[in-house]
Amino acid sequence: MPQWKEFHPPQRLLLGPGPASIDQRVLQAMSSPVLGYLDPAFLRCMDDIQEMLRHVFETKNTVTLTLPGTGTSGMQCTLANLIQSGDEVVVCVNGYFSNRICDLVERSEGKAIRVDFEWGQPIDMDRVASVLKSSRADIVAMVHAETSTGMRQPIEKLRDLLAVRDVVLLVDAVTSLGGLPVGIDRNGIDACYSCSQKAIGAPPGLAPVTFSDKAMQKIRARRTVCRDFYLDITLLEKYWGKERVYHHTAPTSMHYAIREALRLVCEEGLEARWKRHEQNSRMLQAGLEAMGLAMLVAPEHRLWTLNSVRVPAGVEEARVRTRLLEEHSIEIGAGLGPLKGRIWRIGLMGAVSTRENVLLLLETLEKVLAAEGFKAGSGMKAAEAASH
Amino acid sequence: MPQWKEFHPPQRLLLGPGPASIDQRVLQAMSSPVLGYLDPAFLRCMDDIQEMLRHVFETKNTVTLTLPGTGTSGMQCTLANLIQSGDEVVVCVNGYFSNRICDLVERSEGKAIRVDFEWGQPIDMDRVASVLKSSRADIVAMVHAETSTGMRQPIEKLRDLLAVRDVVLLVDAVTSLGGLPVGIDRNGIDACYSCSQKAIGAPPGLAPVTFSDKAMQKIRARRTVCRDFYLDITLLEKYWGKERVYHHTAPTSMHYAIREALRLVCEEGLEARWKRHEQNSRMLQAGLEAMGLAMLVAPEHRLWTLNSVRVPAGVEEARVRTRLLEEHSIEIGAGLGPLKGRIWRIGLMGAVSTRENVLLLLETLEKVLAAEGFKAGSGMKAAEAASH
């Protein structure tokens, strides 16, 4: 048996699709001693998380909590609980994660009715409405912020579908929650999931979810039990609610982390936080464009949390990322699926969305691109100008 | 919006069914900066975890990894992957968690063939063999260490069932792994899951699992896709294996924690660690019996990690636990199901399994019982004697 040494992770600046580098206060919170899952002090911590999550989701939903799993567990939880065998679900598909939703619908014994659009292109809600009309679907699923493309879909248009039929609206807010408004109640969203490690600013490992009364009524009226015991929301709500019925041993340290991360969100204020994400994203985009690079997504549909930029002709995508990581300890993301090798994904989420990081990234990327034989213009001035 | 204060959890001595209080080194590991889920340094951390887990599971199984969820996700992962619609599974039931296995078998579209025994009583393998013979089952599930009763089932007898038929042997080692031998390969176990927060000594949030080649062959031969995408082991192994295919964003800080916890296990040595758990458990049992209390489980079947003791007549179970927690900051566990109100569950797992904690618990319990009107004898001397 070899002897393992202590693990000292290198200090990276994480500007990829997540996890993002997080505030020292959040890291510190995890070194607090663990508590039992029914300790009154721990239950108060859970109550605080729920109350702050409702604020961030902009909802009054009682069933608002964190799942003991990553963002993907949020996707599975909403779908596995809402879908019964044979149910049709209309899925708006324009990226990797909306495509994954279709897979999970089928695994949940549902039938995914895909409405496909080009990756990085907005969803035409008229087409969705017409597909919905000709289906028996009572659920429509959409990704608010596509992590694979950096595309922002107007969430406020989803409720127009209610004119077609009184469907359940399901939204993936993995890359938006905490970085741009989701307005769950205002936008009539019935089920929504996110993750802990992006704009919320905690480490990966938890999935915030919220279910409207309408969604919970649908779930409570199931003819068959949810196949997913671990993510059965009717069991989870009994632990998070007044009954405090044991279901699983809550991930104590992760709860400490997200409580502190949410506290930072609340201290900053939602509006100010959204504004910060918007400004720094605009600054980065202006800089990248001034360098001669092209963004993947049209300006009015760009996310503020994740910016996808096309790899210029003649540049080897992976080499640039590797040099950024190895020579400058900066992580950015690669493309997924059909965009593999064709884009970089630059995240500005939570604590790393700062003016300084934007300038550092632009300067470093310019240097690396030059070393790779691509003469980029300077993005610094355009970025500075865009920041005012 | 109220302002939330910093959360300062009280310093508890966690002597319940888990989480157990953990070593400062493990808490400290979590305050390291997060890394991307494909960062070479992070992948090395995952490799280390795999190698150390194989050592602790006593296996050479390639598919040995941690799931991004709590122990319950381990139960679900093994069952949801191994069971196909209509499959029969023989389940040995003598406690809360073996009962839960039956629920999950049914949710996985299988048919649970229960072989029931009284809670806290050992499983008669002859009866199991005869039930297996008369069934079509190709999986037998058993709990090694029943967290609800403190009962240890001889794991080495399970393989005798292979004489009946070449079944897949599935074992719940949630409360044993790291505290007593599981000997996966030696005992012919094909699928096993555990948790991070008990004898392994990390916070809750991860589930170590291991699958034999035989189990993986069964899974790869499925006619239908596993309904559980989040815990689909064929996708998880592609992220933990050489391919490094994205499936979910790994819970970075929890990986740091379990790596450090496993490092502590390896530093101590498995044999020494088992011995420590055994000695301290025997010491506690001797002390409790000298106090006039009765253990639930027969001596030869008692776990070394979790000790269940009957609540003496006339004593209000919950009051004693509350006083221990509120007046002495010591947590012990309550009974579950039919044992609710009838037993206390005292855990000595990982870092808290020490001679000092045994003596402290005995002394404090004696004091609290006296205050509640029950005159217990002193357990200290008997405990001291048993420790030599």
Side-chain angles (χ1 to χ4, degrees):
Chain A
M1 195 64 185
Q3 286 298 309
W4 276 269
K5 293 203 184 114
E6 205 172 322
F7 184 62
H8 292 290
Q11 180 82 48
R12 307 285 199 209
L13 175 58
L14 298 182
L15 301 179
S21 305
I22 60 185
D23 195 283
Q24 197 57 37
R25 267 173 53 184
V26 178
L27 290 175
Q28 211 44 54
M30 282 186 288
S31 61
S32 295
V34 296
L35 286 174
Y37 63 87
L38 287 177
D39 194 302
F42 186 63
L43 298 177
R44 278 196 298 277
C45 169
M46 289 170 68
D47 288 343
D48 293 348
I49 290 169
Q50 285 195 287
E51 206 174 329
M52 286 191 274
L53 268 186
R54 287 191 192 106
H55 178 63
V56 179
F57 269 124
E58 304 167 77
T59 187
K60 292 196 165 63
N61 288 341
T62 307
V63 182
T64 303
L65 48 83
T66 60
L67 303 175
T70 70
T72 300
S73 76
M75 185 186 285
Q76 181 157 313
C77 174
T78 50
L79 293 169
N81 280 279
L82 282 164
I83 298 172
Q84 292 190 84
S85 174
D87 281 1
E88 292 186 351
V89 181
V90 169
V91 186
C92 311
V93 182
N94 66 344
Y96 183 92
F97 290 94
S98 34
N99 198 51
R100 177 177 273 194
I101 289 178
C102 298
D103 181 0
L104 269 75
V105 167
E106 301 284 335
R107 289 186 191 233
S108 300
E109 300 175 87
K111 187 168 174 262
I113 302 183
R114 300 173 64 104
V115 196
D116 275 285
F117 303 89
E118 204 182 321
W119 284 33
Q121 291 298 313
I123 290 155
D124 173 0
M125 292 309 282
D126 290 341
R127 253 184 69 201
V128 177
S130 113
V131 170
L132 174 62
K133 203 175 254 170
S134 66
S135 77
R136 292 181 300 114
D138 59 357
I139 303 170
V140 177
M142 195 190 82
V143 175
H144 181 211
E146 240 307 337
T147 319
S148 64
T149 62
M151 155 87 208
R152 180 179 55 79
Q153 182 61 26
I155 198 171
E156 58 280 3
K157 288 187 185 160
L158 204 52
R159 71 180 318 158
D160 295 349
L161 295 173
L162 298 178
V164 177
R165 200 180 307 139
D166 186 26
V167 293
V168 165
L169 300 174
L170 192 159
V171 167
D172 175 321
V174 165
T175 301
S176 52
L177 190 71
L180 49 157
V182 293
I184 295 300
D185 288 358
R186 175 166 29 97
N187 292 315
I189 310 304
D190 296 301
C192 184
Y193 57 90
S194 188
C195 69
S196 48
Q197 77 275 11
K198 304 196 189 210
I200 294 294
L206 294 179
V209 290
T210 187
F211 289 83
S212 71
D213 288 347
K214 181 169 137 189
M216 289 306 297
Q217 272 166 28
K218 183 170 162 58
I219 291 167
R220 289 191 225 286
R222 289 181 65 98
R223 300 177 306 272
T224 53
V225 73
C226 174
R227 295 227 173 275
D228 193 330
F229 177 89
Y230 186 58
L231 302 173
D232 184 331
I233 196 70
T234 65
L235 300 176
L236 289 161
E237 69 163 341
K238 285 203 183 96
Y239 174 46
W240 284 84
K242 288 201 187 84
E243 298 103 320
R244 303 295 183 189
V245 180
Y246 167 70
H247 170 262
H248 67 283
T249 302
T252 335
S253 311
M254 288 302 304
H255 279 206
Y256 296 166
I258 204 164
R259 185 189 181 281
E260 189 63 15
L262 288 167
R263 214 162 71 88
L264 282 160
V265 174
C266 292
E267 279 177 16
E268 181 173 9
L270 279 183
E271 305 264 346
R273 193 172 179 92
W274 299 333
K275 191 90 198 146
R276 170 165 67 83
H277 280 82
E278 183 180 8
Q279 278 178 336
N280 292 324
S281 176
R282 287 198 195 287
M283 194 177 159
L284 175 67
Q285 293 163 24
L288 292 169
E289 288 176 331
M291 283 169 69
L293 301 175
M295 303 300 293
L296 177 75
V297 176
E300 69 276 21
H301 282 289
R302 288 179 198 158
L303 282 174
W304 306 336
T305 42
L306 190 63
N307 309 274
S308 46
V309 56
R310 293 182 191 275
V311 178
V315 171
E316 215 181 300
E317 184 274 323
R319 278 182 57 96
V320 173
R321 267 189 301 118
T322 304
R323 290 186 83 142
L324 280 170
L325 189 72
E326 288 180 358
E327 296 167 16
H328 305 278
S329 223
I330 297 176
E331 178 181 271
I332 65 169
L336 289 173
L339 294 172
K340 196 177 169 183
R342 294 175 52 205
I343 60 166
W344 291 302
R345 292 182 296 154
I346 305 172
L348 291 170
M349 303 191 281
V352 297
S353 174
T354 67
R355 182 191 154 77
E356 293 69 28
N357 286 342
V358 170
L359 295 175
L360 176 66
L361 189 270
L362 289 171
E363 194 181 11
T364 316
L365 183 60
E366 193 187 322
K367 222 181 287 176
V368 170
L369 283 174
E372 288 291 312
F374 178 84
K375 276 208 179 116
S378 168
M380 308 289 279
K381 267 194 187 159
E384 297 267 22
S387 80
H388 297 302
Chain B
M1 195 65 183
Q3 287 298 308
W4 276 270
K5 292 202 186 114
E6 205 172 324
F7 184 62
H8 293 291
Q11 181 80 49
R12 307 286 199 208
L13 175 59
L14 298 183
L15 301 179
S21 306
I22 61 186
D23 194 283
Q24 195 59 36
R25 269 172 52 183
V26 178
L27 290 176
Q28 210 46 52
M30 283 188 285
S31 61
S32 295
V34 294
L35 287 174
Y37 64 86
L38 288 177
D39 194 303
F42 186 63
L43 298 178
R44 278 195 299 277
C45 167
M46 288 169 68
D47 288 343
D48 294 347
I49 290 169
Q50 284 194 287
E51 208 173 328
M52 286 191 274
L53 269 186
R54 286 190 192 105
H55 178 64
V56 179
F57 269 123
E58 303 167 79
T59 185
K60 290 195 166 64
N61 289 340
T62 308
V63 183
T64 303
L65 47 83
T66 59
L67 303 175
T70 69
T72 301
S73 76
M75 185 186 286
Q76 181 156 313
C77 174
T78 50
L79 294 169
N81 280 280
L82 282 165
I83 298 172
Q84 291 191 84
S85 173
D87 281 1
E88 292 186 351
V89 181
V90 169
V91 186
C92 312
V93 182
N94 66 343
Y96 184 90
F97 290 94
S98 35
N99 197 50
R100 177 178 274 194
I101 289 178
C102 298
D103 181 0
L104 269 74
V105 167
E106 301 283 337
R107 289 186 192 233
S108 301
E109 301 175 85
K111 187 169 175 261
I113 303 183
R114 302 172 63 105
V115 195
D116 275 284
F117 303 89
E118 202 182 324
W119 283 33
Q121 291 299 312
I123 290 156
D124 172 0
M125 292 310 281
D126 290 340
R127 252 183 71 202
V128 177
S130 112
V131 170
L132 174 61
K133 204 174 254 175
S134 65
S135 78
R136 295 181 299 112
D138 59 358
I139 303 171
V140 177
M142 194 190 82
V143 175
H144 181 210
E146 242 306 339
T147 319
S148 63
T149 62
M151 155 87 207
R152 180 178 55 80
Q153 182 62 27
I155 197 170
E156 58 280 3
K157 289 189 185 159
L158 204 50
R159 69 179 320 155
D160 295 348
L161 295 173
L162 298 179
V164 177
R165 199 179 309 138
D166 186 25
V167 293
V168 166
L169 300 176
L170 193 159
V171 167
D172 175 321
V174 165
T175 302
S176 52
L177 191 71
L180 51 157
V182 293
I184 295 300
D185 289 357
R186 175 166 30 96
N187 292 315
I189 309 304
D190 296 300
C192 183
Y193 58 90
S194 187
C195 69
S196 48
Q197 78 274 11
K198 304 199 189 207
I200 294 294
L206 293 178
V209 290
T210 188
F211 290 83
S212 71
D213 289 347
K214 179 170 141 190
M216 288 308 296
Q217 272 166 29
K218 183 169 162 60
I219 291 168
R220 289 191 225 285
R222 290 180 65 96
R223 302 175 306 272
T224 52
V225 74
C226 173
R227 295 227 173 276
D228 194 329
F229 176 90
Y230 186 60
L231 302 173
D232 185 332
I233 195 71
T234 66
L235 301 176
L236 289 161
E237 69 163 340
K238 285 203 184 97
Y239 173 46
W240 283 83
K242 286 200 187 87
E243 299 102 318
R244 302 294 184 190
V245 180
Y246 168 69
H247 170 263
H248 68 282
T249 302
T252 334
S253 312
M254 287 303 303
H255 280 206
Y256 297 166
I258 203 164
R259 186 189 181 281
E260 189 63 17
L262 288 167
R263 214 162 71 88
L264 282 161
V265 174
C266 293
E267 280 178 15
E268 181 172 9
L270 280 182
E271 305 264 345
R273 193 174 179 91
W274 299 332
K275 192 89 201 146
R276 170 165 65 85
H277 280 82
E278 183 181 7
Q279 278 179 334
N280 292 322
S281 176
R282 288 198 195 284
M283 193 178 159
L284 176 67
Q285 293 162 25
L288 291 170
E289 288 176 332
M291 282 169 70
L293 301 174
M295 302 300 292
L296 177 74
V297 177
E300 69 275 21
H301 283 289
R302 288 179 198 161
L303 282 174
W304 305 338
T305 42
L306 191 63
N307 309 274
S308 44
V309 56
R310 294 182 191 273
V311 178
V315 171
E316 213 179 303
E317 183 275 322
R319 279 182 58 95
V320 173
R321 268 189 302 115
T322 304
R323 289 186 85 142
L324 279 169
L325 190 72
E326 289 179 359
E327 295 167 18
H328 305 277
S329 223
I330 297 176
E331 179 182 88
I332 65 169
L336 288 173
L339 294 172
K340 197 176 166 183
R342 294 176 49 207
I343 60 166
W344 291 301
R345 292 182 296 155
I346 304 171
L348 292 171
M349 304 191 280
V352 299
S353 173
T354 66
R355 182 190 154 79
E356 292 70 28
N357 285 341
V358 170
L359 295 176
L360 177 66
L361 189 270
L362 289 171
E363 193 180 12
T364 315
L365 184 60
E366 192 187 323
K367 220 181 288 177
V368 169
L369 283 174
E372 289 290 314
F374 178 83
K375 275 208 182 118
S378 170
M380 308 289 280
K381 267 194 188 160
E384 296 267 21
S387 80
H388 300 301

